Amino acid sequence: MHIVVLPGDGIGPEIAGATLRVLDVLNARMGLGLTFEEHEIGLARLARDGSTFPESVLERARAADGVILGPVSHSDYPARERGGINGSALLRRELDLYANIRPCRSREGLPHYGRTPLDLVIVRENTEGFYADRTMHQGTGEFMPTPDVAIAMRKVTARGSARIARAAFALAATRPRRKVTVVHKVNVLKISDALFLKECRSVAAEHPEIATDDQLVDSMTAMLVRDAARFDVVVTTNMFGDILSDLASELSGSLGLAGAINAGDDHCVAQAQHGSAPDIQGQDKANPCSLVLSAAMLLDWLGARRDRADLRRAARAVDGAVDALVRDPATRTRDLGGALGTRAFTEVLCAALERGL
Ligand code: ATP
């Protein structure tokens, strides 16, 4: 199983290094046969090669069994013509990674910020919606007809909506509570979100065993704070999913604990929910859990598709080890109120895995 690792910008190299350490331990203990190939991307690559994400990197990612992608500081990149390519957006589009799966759960013993504990997964459509920079065949979905008027377009298709709904219902079928909540703003986006909702409802009709309801996105934010325990799988369009998942992961304890994958039918990219956190770059302060847990989700995705129970076991072992460490204030990183730096936390995580496997 060959994995391409792209550390990225900001805290990316620190948390990617931590993730590789953890995967090395799993490989050694469990004989998983994982092999790795690392490529520099982002601002460092721009300085060296004139592009933040050369074509050759895309080809290596396409050829791999999976990709681990660190955060990218794309808002600091120059224009595309001068080599500024958002690798995260490019991979989502080129590898057709239509499902961004973002679990958010509180962990025993670690304070959470909502009124209830939570254990939900946000299934975010990842290829269309309000992401005007990447949804069009040519040009972008943003333009200025006059200097004082700016227009952004939101793209919703029946195919895109149906396939993300199918991903959400398939996921809900594997979870004990078997429930899907569709989040939209159909009272305002009366055509585009009506289409999204219609497609979700027709997939729901194929799954009578799964309870389905829906929420307006604004009331959803209040519900997440008030009573997040009522949600299981949440399916929504691209930008609503992006915003809701930051809220839900922070409510669960910290954005630094939130793993995620971008998955399509043939490819999967592990990517932390948070950004490149330039404010703490190079200071050994980053919590590596989000990328480590994302990599564990990638192992689980590969295990399910390649019939490799050992990869799925490895993913559960990582999740369990994180649970055990964050329960104890002495083994928490700073974002969780602890004292451990990135490197020290990685070492206790590896030691916990070595003990437990
Ligand atoms: P982007 O626009 O790429 O999402 P951002 O700077 O707006 O980037 P983040 O990079 O996610 O957002 O950072 C938001 C805050 O959370 C920052 O204060 C950052 O230091 C903190 N943060 C993000 N990730 C981590 C992490 N892994 N460990 C500790 N703190 C983090």
Side-chain angles (χ1 to χ4, degrees):
M1 211 63 77
H2 191 62
I3 310 285
V4 160
V5 182
L6 310 172
D9 297 303
I11 58 171
E14 295 165 77
I15 60 175
T19 303
L20 279 172
R21 267 284 288 133
V22 169
L23 292 174
D24 280 343
V25 169
L26 296 172
N27 234 357
R29 285 280 160 152
M30 299 178 73
L32 299 178
L34 300 173
T35 53
F36 303 99
E37 165 186 333
E38 196 172 318
H39 295 283
E40 195 170 51
I41 58 162
L43 292 166
R45 185 77 188 235
L46 180 75
R48 185 156 66 87
D49 277 350
S51 170
T52 54
F53 204 96
E55 184 70 25
S56 58
V57 174
L58 177 62
E59 289 323 308
R60 296 310 298 156
R62 202 191 292 282
D65 294 293
V67 176
I68 296 173
L69 173 67
V72 290
S73 299
H74 61 89
S75 43
D76 297 335
Y77 290 178
R80 197 180 174 83
E81 311 77 73
R82 287 190 286 123
I85 295 168
N86 177 351
S88 167
L90 185 81
L91 286 169
R92 290 175 193 190
R93 199 183 58 216
E94 292 298 319
L95 305 185
D96 201 19
L97 307 171
Y98 60 85
N100 187 200
I101 312 284
R102 296 185 153 188
C104 304
R105 81 174 167 85
S106 40
R107 293 175 187 260
E108 211 184 309
L110 181 72
H112 55 81
Y113 298 107
R115 292 204 190 136
T116 62
L118 69 160
D119 182 3
L120 58 86
V121 184
I122 294 182
V123 176
R124 164 194 176 198
E125 202 293 322
N126 217 16
T127 52
E128 40 191 51
F130 238 135
Y131 279 68
D133 61 339
R134 66 197 72 160
T135 52
M136 301 293 145
H137 170 62
Q138 209 171 22
T140 78
E142 269 192 317
F143 56 98
M144 286 183 103
T146 61
D148 54 351
V149 176
I151 296 176
M153 285 189 291
R154 176 171 179 265
K155 176 173 159 193
V156 175
T157 68
R159 174 176 174 264
S161 304
R163 67 180 182 171
I164 196 65
R166 276 195 210 98
F169 280 85
L171 175 65
T174 67
R175 291 170 57 88
R177 283 188 290 156
R178 295 176 157 234
K179 183 177 169 194
V180 173
T181 301
V182 185
V183 175
H184 56 80
K185 186 73 181 167
V186 79
N187 54 342
V188 173
L189 299 164
K190 289 185 178 166
I191 299 176
S192 53
D193 262 355
L195 178 60
F196 180 70
L197 196 50
K198 173 171 160 267
E199 293 300 324
C200 288
R201 284 185 175 146
S202 74
V203 174
E206 296 163 14
H207 291 274
E209 77 286 6
I210 294 173
T212 312
D213 63 5
D214 67 277
Q215 282 280 337
L216 289 168
V217 65
D218 43 349
S219 74
M220 183 70 187
T221 57
M223 286 300 158
L224 278 175
V225 176
R226 192 186 304 159
D227 186 19
R230 68 199 273 181
F231 300 110
D232 181 18
V233 173
V234 174
V235 63
T236 190
T237 49
N238 202 341
M239 194 171 285
F240 292 163
D242 193 18
I243 296 166
L244 289 176
S245 56
D246 263 30
L247 173 61
S249 61
E250 193 63 23
L251 287 173
S252 78
S254 170
L255 193 51
L257 279 178
I261 50 170
N262 301 284
D265 293 329
D266 304 316
H267 299 277
C268 183
V269 174
Q271 185 182 18
Q273 289 188 32
H274 58 74
S276 57
D279 53 330
I280 54 168
Q281 168 182 1
Q283 297 168 38
D284 194 41
K285 284 183 182 165
N287 182 348
C289 282
S290 186
L291 192 60
V292 169
L293 290 167
S294 305
M297 289 177 70
L298 169 62
L299 295 186
D300 191 62
W301 187 91
L302 286 167
R305 271 149 198 83
R306 311 281 168 88
D307 206 17
R308 288 270 311 265
D310 57 340
L311 292 176
R312 305 199 79 182
R313 236 184 2 262
R316 282 197 299 277
V318 173
D319 211 28
V322 170
D323 270 344
L325 294 189
V326 300
R327 195 177 300 145
D328 180 355
T331 49
R332 289 181 190 157
T333 46
R334 287 165 214 208
D335 56 312
L336 303 179
L340 295 189
T342 314
R343 283 194 293 269
F345 179 82
T346 306
E347 290 319 307
V348 286
L349 177 57
C350 290
L353 279 168
E354 278 177 341
R355 278 195 308 276
L357 290 173

